[in-house]
Amino acid sequence: MSVTAVVTFRALQLANEHRNAYGLRYNDFQRYRKHCANRTHRLRSTLKMTHGKGRNFQKLPTLTKDTVKDGHLQLLLFETERAWAYAQELSADSLRPSNEDRAGALRHSATGRFRRAVNWSTQLLSHCQELYIHGRFSAENLIEATIYTIILNGRFLRYRDEFDDALVQLSIARSLLDSLAGAATTSRDQALAVLFADEIGPEIRHCAHEMGRPKAYDIDGIVAQLTPTQKNAIVEEYDGLLAKLKSQLQASSLGESKKKLQGIVWEGQPVPVRNPELVDVLLKVQDGEARLAEAQSQAFSGSKGGVRSKKGIAAYDATLLALSDAEEVARKLTEAQQLTATSNPSVSAGRDIHFVYAYIVYELLRYRTQRDLLLISALLASQPEGKQNPKSATINKSDPVDGRLYPAVVKLLDTVLQSLNQMRTLSVVDDNPDLASAIDARISLTKARRCAYLARCYDSVKRYAEALTLLQHASIHTRETASHLSLSNMDNIANAHSEFFPVSTDDIKELDQTIALDSTRCKRDWLAYNGGSVANSSKNYKKPLFFNIALNYVELDMDRLLERAGKARVAPPPVAAPKAQRLESPAEKRAAAPKAKAEETRPETPQPAAPAKGGLSSLLGGWWGRS
């Protein structure tokens, strides 16, 4: 390697990545210590810095400015991390009740390991300063190595109850972190600086409290008070280093365009993202939203079809995938923050990560609901009866409808309803009464539409009782929608987040009219099918008593019945005017008249008269066979 080659080494970034990946996210210091030990062994083998094999000890060559590589700096960093993790592990063991007898020995060992970590970090900083003097190290990398060393020194002093010196060290580190965050060209670097600043904030407050300061809670005030007087004593050429940092970052930002994350704003208040992992996934979400907006604009400006086309719906896939990854990362960070709340009591960081997690889940459910609504619109628009309104589409029985249409719409509405119910339970929605009422209105409207389409499914299989019951429930849900909509004031909802599912009073009235029409049609079909019986089959249907006989004596007005049933009778064709008839002769009348049979009169059959009898013979005649 040439002498002029620049060494790149990000101390804070490397330490943060390995701490989160190997146990320190859940305060597992033993796992992290073993990882650092394995890492140092691999680095020594790679750099050929072993002491030989067997009993022959080989002394390591001295590192100079010409032979130092980034691997040597990583080796010193992981040696520092290994000793520090071991010190934290021994300190935690000394506080357990089971180790009460040897607590002093464990604490003494922890102090020795902590001192060794400070020694390794001091060597790391000296090599970085030497490289910076010879132009092989950037100011940003030197500041990160300086911050790492100062934080470790301050924690060691606080561990030894030297709160005065520890407060100075930690305050200078906080000042450098604020300067690093303000000059960062990428959102990831800014979040990394904010993350370390949040970690040492409670330690500064603890030192100030132990020293008896009146405003120990004011961390920014303490840092502003101590930095001007102590910065040059802790960091050599403090102001010159920060000036060199700004100039280098400005020069690097001119050569390449780096994306910065747009701030999250909720109810007019910005929410800072304090974790580099969240910055990475939220940048992907930002790119997906930009591509989605571009696809929607092209679909709207294109020909017929709009966002109902396949390309318009497929544009949601990238955004939903990025939001799913962001939700998983935010959930893990939230769980880790809950487990480590006692060891790292950063109130602002904990509040922000919980809010960011709820916000990401809200955005995921919002885009998922919008995608499902577009799928419903595309399904209804693909039917031969024409372009229907997905909120209230009437059915013409003469038009053919695919039997799979309405079950598919019901399934999509179930997904929409599930997303809205999950959205209603989020803290960001529950804290806003207007937004909560707006979500409740959309839940009721979705229930009404689901009942209406499910009733059409039952109607197609001639189960009219179930269909009418569902339509009654749909009518109740429409009234609930109007009630919830009257309670929500959309002017007070920040960013109008609920407008992804637009609902108006006209839509509710139209849906109510459609439900009434479907109910009337269903009743007519049920009466024509089996007379309104709850039996599923029309075979058991019996006509009323004397139904056929009554038709012989009552004149049935079929035109009136067809008019009430909604079936108009086809008008008969016009009859031509009769031609003029000529007078017929009596002979022609006799020939054309049919021969009528003479009416036969039959005499009534006389009934035989019984002879008048009396006396005992008439009484006993029946016994002897005589009449």
Side-chain angles (χ1 to χ4, degrees):
M1 185 178 65
S2 62
V3 178
T4 58
V6 178
V7 177
T8 303
F9 175 70
R10 303 287 303 275
L12 296 181
Q13 180 179 349
L14 190 62
N16 178 69
E17 290 177 354
H18 284 268
R19 287 178 183 179
N20 291 332
Y22 296 99
L24 282 200
R25 178 174 289 174
Y26 303 99
N27 284 344
D28 191 354
F29 290 100
Q30 183 179 7
R31 179 190 172 192
Y32 185 61
R33 174 175 61 85
K34 292 181 179 180
H35 164 71
C36 292
N38 295 331
R39 185 74 175 177
T40 54
H41 294 335
R42 289 195 298 269
L43 286 172
R44 287 185 182 276
S45 300
T46 304
L47 298 172
K48 297 180 180 180
M49 295 184 63
T50 59
H51 294 283
K53 296 182 179 179
R55 298 181 179 179
N56 297 327
F57 180 80
Q58 296 180 2
K59 187 178 180 180
L60 297 178
T62 304
L63 293 177
T64 62
K65 61 180 179 58
D66 298 332
T67 59
V68 172
K69 303 178 183 178
D70 56 348
H72 297 94
L73 301 180
Q74 291 183 18
L75 178 61
L76 294 173
L77 177 68
F78 284 110
E79 288 285 4
T80 306
E81 290 287 292
R82 178 186 179 184
W84 172 76
Y86 200 9
Q88 297 298 317
E89 182 183 354
L90 292 174
S91 178
D93 290 341
S94 65
L95 298 177
R96 294 181 181 177
S98 58
N99 298 328
E100 186 177 359
D101 297 338
R102 53 194 188 97
L106 291 174
R107 187 171 179 84
H108 179 73
S109 300
T111 305
R113 293 291 176 176
F114 222 142
R115 186 179 290 108
R116 185 178 298 181
V118 173
N119 185 21
W120 285 116
S121 65
T122 305
Q123 294 183 27
L124 172 64
L125 181 59
S126 64
H127 286 297
C128 294
Q129 290 175 345
E130 187 177 1
L131 291 174
Y132 174 74
I133 293 172
H134 291 82
R136 297 183 56 196
F137 213 62
S138 65
E140 181 182 8
N141 293 345
L142 179 60
I143 290 177
E144 287 193 9
T146 304
I147 292 172
Y148 178 80
T149 304
I150 293 176
I151 289 176
L152 198 61
N153 288 332
R155 287 175 176 174
F156 178 62
L157 293 172
R158 190 175 73 91
Y159 179 77
R160 297 179 60 183
D161 295 339
E162 299 178 7
F163 299 110
D164 192 1
D165 296 336
L167 182 62
V168 174
Q169 296 271 349
L170 294 174
S171 298
I172 298 301
R174 173 63 184 269
S175 176
L176 288 174
L177 286 169
D178 293 340
S179 301
L180 199 60
T185 57
T186 62
S187 298
R188 181 180 177 84
D189 295 341
Q190 183 180 8
L192 183 65
V194 172
L195 177 65
F196 277 91
D198 290 338
E199 287 183 358
I200 65 176
E203 300 179 37
I204 295 175
R205 190 185 306 113
H206 174 253
C207 293
H209 175 73
E210 291 293 336
M211 292 175 60
R213 282 181 169 267
K215 294 183 178 180
Y217 56 88
D218 188 8
I219 299 176
D220 295 334
I222 295 172
V223 172
Q225 181 182 359
L226 295 178
T227 300
T229 58
Q230 302 292 336
K231 58 183 180 180
N232 292 323
I234 304 300
V235 180
E236 186 178 356
E237 296 182 0
Y238 181 92
D239 297 331
L241 194 60
L242 292 181
K244 188 69 175 295
L245 169 68
K246 294 180 181 179
S247 62
Q248 288 182 356
L249 291 180
Q250 289 178 358
S252 62
S253 61
L254 293 176
E256 52 180 342
S257 59
K258 299 180 180 180
K259 291 187 177 180
K260 297 200 70 173
L261 181 65
Q262 298 178 357
I264 298 176
V265 179
W266 184 270
E267 297 182 358
Q269 298 295 328
V271 179
V273 179
R274 302 175 178 271
N275 196 286
E277 298 179 24
L278 274 179
V279 172
D280 295 337
V281 292
L282 289 179
L283 281 174
K284 295 180 182 179
V285 173
Q286 182 175 316
D287 295 340
E289 289 178 347
R291 289 196 295 268
L292 177 60
E294 183 180 358
Q296 287 180 345
S297 62
Q298 292 178 358
F300 277 118
S301 61
S303 59
K304 58 182 180 180
V307 293
R308 296 180 181 178
S309 62
K310 292 182 179 180
K311 292 182 179 179
I313 297 174
Y316 284 86
D317 294 341
T319 305
L320 290 175
L321 181 60
L323 283 170
S324 299
D325 296 338
E327 187 271 337
E328 183 179 0
V329 172
R331 177 173 49 81
K332 290 181 179 179
L333 292 175
T334 304
E335 294 174 355
Q337 197 278 333
Q338 291 175 352
L339 292 175
T340 60
T342 56
S343 61
N344 187 16
S346 180
V347 179
S348 60
R351 181 185 65 248
D352 291 339
I353 187 59
H354 285 286
F355 177 82
V356 171
Y357 172 67
Y359 177 81
I360 290 173
V361 174
Y362 179 86
E363 290 294 311
L364 175 62
L365 297 174
R366 182 169 74 91
Y367 280 107
R368 186 181 297 170
T369 302
Q370 192 172 2
R371 192 269 314 270
D372 293 336
L373 291 176
L374 288 179
L375 282 174
I376 294 174
S377 302
L379 283 176
L380 295 176
S382 63
Q383 292 306 305
E385 61 264 22
K387 298 179 180 179
Q388 304 184 20
N389 185 359
K391 297 184 180 62
S392 58
T394 57
I395 301 177
N396 189 358
K397 296 294 289 184
S398 62
D399 295 332
V401 178
D402 192 353
R404 300 169 297 178
L405 172 64
Y406 297 125
V409 173
V410 170
K411 187 175 181 180
L412 288 172
L413 288 174
D414 285 335
T415 307
V416 173
L417 192 60
Q418 181 182 2
S419 300
L420 291 175
N421 286 327
Q422 187 177 354
M423 186 185 296
R424 183 60 181 83
T425 60
L426 296 175
S427 60
V428 293
V429 177
D430 200 21
D431 294 340
N432 192 335
D434 293 327
L435 183 57
S437 299
I439 298 299
D440 288 334
R442 283 146 182 80
I443 291 175
S444 300
L445 181 63
T446 306
K447 289 181 179 179
R449 294 176 58 192
R450 180 184 178 277
C451 290
Y453 283 107
L454 190 58
R456 295 175 183 180
C457 296
Y458 279 106
D459 187 15
S460 62
V461 294
K462 301 185 183 302
R463 297 181 63 176
Y464 300 105
E466 292 86 348
L468 284 174
T469 303
L470 288 169
L471 289 173
Q472 291 176 359
H473 284 286
S475 180
I476 294 174
H477 290 312
T478 53
R479 292 196 293 270
E480 291 178 357
T481 305
S483 177
H484 288 305
L485 201 61
S486 63
L487 296 176
S488 62
N489 186 6
M490 295 306 299
D491 295 336
N492 296 332
I493 299 178
N495 298 331
H497 288 291
S498 60
E499 287 305 306
F500 69 94
F501 190 165
V503 178
S504 62
T505 55
D506 295 336
D507 297 332
I508 299 174
K509 291 179 181 179
E510 187 178 358
L511 179 59
D512 201 7
Q513 293 175 0
T514 303
I515 292 172
L517 292 175
D518 290 349
S519 179
T520 304
R521 179 185 50 77
C522 185
K523 292 176 182 178
R524 291 172 180 170
D525 294 343
W526 192 9
L527 183 63
Y529 177 63
N530 58 3
S533 175
V534 295
N536 294 332
S537 177
S538 61
K539 297 180 180 179
N540 299 327
Y541 172 59
K542 295 181 180 180
K543 295 181 180 180
L545 188 62
F546 304 123
F547 182 80
N548 295 329
I549 300 176
L551 293 178
N552 295 332
Y553 295 93
V554 178
E555 183 179 358
L556 186 62
D557 190 358
M558 291 301 299
D559 296 335
R560 177 60 178 165
L561 288 178
L562 291 175
E563 182 181 355
R564 294 184 63 184
K567 302 177 181 179
R569 169 174 286 186
V570 180
V575 182
K579 298 180 180 180
Q581 297 180 357
R582 62 183 182 86
L583 297 176
E584 297 179 353
S585 61
E588 291 176 347
K589 291 182 179 180
R590 288 193 298 269
K595 297 181 179 181
K597 294 184 179 180
E599 184 179 357
E600 297 180 359
T601 58
R602 296 177 61 186
E604 297 181 358
T605 303
Q607 297 293 335
K613 295 183 180 181
L616 186 60
S617 61
S618 63
L619 180 61
L620 302 177
W623 292 2
W624 297 329
R626 292 180 296 129
S627 58

